[in-house]
Amino acid sequence: MNAENDMGARGEKHVNDGSPYVDPEDREVLATGQNILHRDLQGRHMQMIAIGGAIGAGLFVGSGGAFESGGPGSVLVGFMIVGAMVYLMMQALAELSVMYPINGAFTMYICRFVDPSIGFACGWEYAIAWLTILPFEISAACNIIHYWPGSDGINNSAWIVPLLAALVAIQFFGVKGYGEVEFLLSLMKVIACIGFIILGIIIDCGGVPTDDRGYIGARYWHSPYTAFLNGFHGFCGVFVLAAFAYTGTELTGLAAAETANPKKEIPRASQQVVWRIAIFYIVNLFLVGLIVPENSPSLSGEGSESRHSPFVIAIQLAGIKFLPSIFNAVILISVMSVANSSTFGSTRTIQALAQNGMAPKFLAYIDKKGRPVSVIILQLLFGCLAFINLADNGGTVFNWLLSLSGLAILFVYGSIALAHIRFRAAWAANGHSVDELSFRAAFGVWGSYVCLLINILALMGQFYVALYPVGGPNLNANTFFQLYLAGPLFIFLYLCWKVYSWFVRPADRPLFIRTKDIDIYTGMRDTQSTINSVGISEEQRRASIQEMQDERRRRGPKDRIMAVVRSII
């Protein structure tokens, strides 16, 4: 009997942990005791998740389309602008995640600080994006395998089955399995990126004997080539490609509920984002733009998907043997890393939605080993959609599936920034100052305003490109919805929850949550609650703030230098 009471108490604690939207009847389902995510992710896992989620097919393959439509100048500027937006978003998300390390992370922050309907729409659009990305990545892996001549004539099902089986095996080990696999795969990608930077500099300086182009310099940025292909039109097309390439950076916030020490590891991972964006994206893409002409026929030729990778093309143009095959293997590893991340991103988001009454109740189930089994099965069933690619019209089906996720990340990133803005407003309205925050976003609330503005401009730019795509056809309904379907889907999901809540959940009826009604105390991290909980005396609060400030001041020059080094390495 005592064991049952203890189990129920732990279950009830988890339900209340930052989850103010759970229906009473749902609590009975969730408080069965088997609903606690394990905090098995260590510092090294969080560091590599911050890298691994962002370095994938979007960088190695998808950037080829950006070079072809916008040119190297548009790619460099576009990725820098979106990279700055991602950094500002990660700072806002880190502040919220340290304060509220809850399951569902940014989906629940949007529900709590902005509006449950917007949170519902963002959560499901984000989950659908990852659900559809998994079969796409598996299909992409099959195409990448066909880069090697020995794979010709082998049916793709021979690759799909073992790849799915490998993902199932990883899920068996829970979040620790995901963390260990992501650590290993991300380490390989980081080594490959650093290696390409060195190689790219050598190629550009004319240091490869087999490259008859000699010294290249900035040749492809001047006439007869052009740095900004298709002008403003081509530049707008780079935005969504860049946002898609950066997708996965936010997974560190989603992993907050399964991190052993969120106060320490989430800020560190978030601070490292700026350096990793600069090194692994900006520097690599700048070098690719220097050594690969934007009109290279290889960027749009026939054959394996990885044959269109500007990274592989750069090595081939230099006449280096064997290395293209090695880098193709890196791209394959990157694709499987994204597939591994997709299982984490979708399962944790859907489980949190179900826990908060925004999805079927059975999807909230977590077994004794901390695995959301029901959602994992759902994700892997979606993975079986990779077999659609075996059909003659499989490519068309996949294009429509991916159109559901194309813009999803822009809606999510913009909503995270808006949630941070609303949180700061509620924080101040309750008489608290920023000195009481364990971690503060580097650019404060103004950084979130800039992040939100960039997202809005990117959505506007993509709307223009969807109406008038580079190369046409203009004002074509089929093309428009393939490029912008995630927009109408977001509105549809928003209206669905508004209508549902009008009849079932009256508390969610208002267009937005008033600042005075925002709950800033539920789900707060235990050590933070000693400063900001309701009932804490002013004297105790001042003492806790003073202790926190003294701890910051005790950091000497050596500590600050090491902090900078850790933020890079």
Side-chain angles (χ1 to χ4, degrees), residues 388-442:
I388 291 177
N389 220 20
L390 302 178
D392 294 335
N393 62 341
T396 304
V397 175
F398 260 110
N399 285 338
W400 283 105
L401 283 174
L402 287 176
S403 67
L404 295 173
S405 61
L407 294 173
I409 203 64
L410 291 176
F411 287 109
V412 171
Y413 287 176
S415 297
I416 290 172
L418 183 57
H420 180 241
I421 293 168
R422 298 278 292 152
F423 161 72
R424 281 293 189 93
W427 189 253
N430 280 272
H432 301 296
S433 70
V434 293
D435 291 332
E436 299 172 45
L437 298 173
S438 297
F439 175 80
R440 285 176 278 178

Side-chain angles (χ1 to χ4, degrees), residues 114-115 422 494 498 509-515:
V114 184
D115 174 39
R422 298 278 292 152
Y494 172 83
K498 272 296 177 212
R509 288 179 187 173
L511 289 176
F512 61 93
I513 303 174
R514 294 180 182 276
T515 304

Side-chain angles (χ1 to χ4, degrees), residues 245-413:
Y246 283 121
T247 300
T249 311
E250 74 289 342
L251 287 173
T252 53
L254 199 63
E258 297 172 82
T259 306
N261 189 353
K263 180 184 176 181
K264 176 183 176 183
E265 301 304 340
I266 291 176
R268 182 180 293 181
S270 300
Q271 296 286 17
Q272 290 176 342
V273 166
V274 64
W275 301 107
R276 287 161 182 176
I277 286 173
I279 295 172
F280 299 125
Y281 272 87
I282 307 304
V283 174
N284 270 292
L285 291 173
F286 175 65
L287 288 170
V288 168
L290 289 177
I291 59 183
V292 177
E294 93 282 342
N295 61 355
S296 172
S298 300
L299 288 170
S300 58
E302 296 181 356
S304 166
E305 184 173 325
S306 56
R307 292 182 191 274
H308 308 155
S309 166
F311 291 80
V312 173
I313 293 169
I315 299 171
Q316 290 173 333
L317 290 175
I320 303 173
K321 295 182 179 180
F322 306 115
L323 196 54
S325 287
I326 295 173
F327 210 89
N328 189 68
V330 172
I331 296 174
L332 180 61
I333 288 170
S334 300
V335 166
M336 291 312 299
S337 172
V338 174
N340 185 40
S341 294
S342 72
T343 58
F344 181 82
S346 63
T347 54
R348 270 54 181 183
T349 302
I350 296 176
Q351 193 277 331
L353 287 167
Q355 177 180 315
N356 289 277
M358 293 181 169
K361 299 173 186 176
F362 72 92
L363 295 175
Y365 174 74
I366 299 175
D367 70 4
K368 294 179 180 178
K369 293 186 178 180
R371 300 171 298 193
V373 178
S374 303
V375 198
I376 289 173
I377 293 172
L378 175 65
Q379 171 70 82
L380 295 174
L381 287 175
F382 261 82
C384 293
L385 291 175
F387 289 103
I388 291 177
N389 220 20
L390 302 178
D392 294 335
N393 62 341
T396 304
V397 175
F398 260 110
N399 285 338
W400 283 105
L401 283 174
L402 287 176
S403 67
L404 295 173
S405 61
L407 294 173
I409 203 64
L410 291 176
F411 287 109
V412 171
Y413 287 176

